[in-house]
Amino acid sequence: MPRYDFRCRSCGATFELRRAMAQANDPAVCPDGHSDTVKLLSAVAVTGSGTSAASAPPSGGGGCCGGGCCG
Ligand SMILES: [Zn+2]
């Protein structure tokens, strides 16, 4: 989930939130409770190339040792 940096214009504090991209433009509330915040353009490292095709999850079925292949 991407992180977004915000800055509070009431107290000047900066904070970051993890939220879905669909909620990126939703208003954020300062940790101190102020609602006058602005979203900063931070350099979020979005690695778009390379999907999960190369990293298949291990088959944790546990059926190996039952077949005698484990020794
Ligand atoms: Zn604040």
Side-chain angles (χ1 to χ4, degrees):
M1 189 172 293
R3 293 181 307 193
Y4 298 96
D5 290 326
F6 292 86
R7 188 180 63 191
C8 177
R9 292 197 291 188
S10 293
C11 66
T14 57
F15 57 98
E16 68 177 27
L17 292 177
R18 288 173 179 265
R19 52 169 50 177
M21 282 186 180
Q23 298 172 324
N25 292 322
D26 285 0
V29 178
C30 171
D32 288 338
H34 308 127
S35 60
D36 189 8
T37 58
V38 291
K39 187 162 72 69
L40 302 177
L41 294 177
S42 60
V44 178
V46 178
T47 59
S49 64
T51 54
S52 62
S55 63
S59 61
C64 178
C65 289
C69 63
C70 290

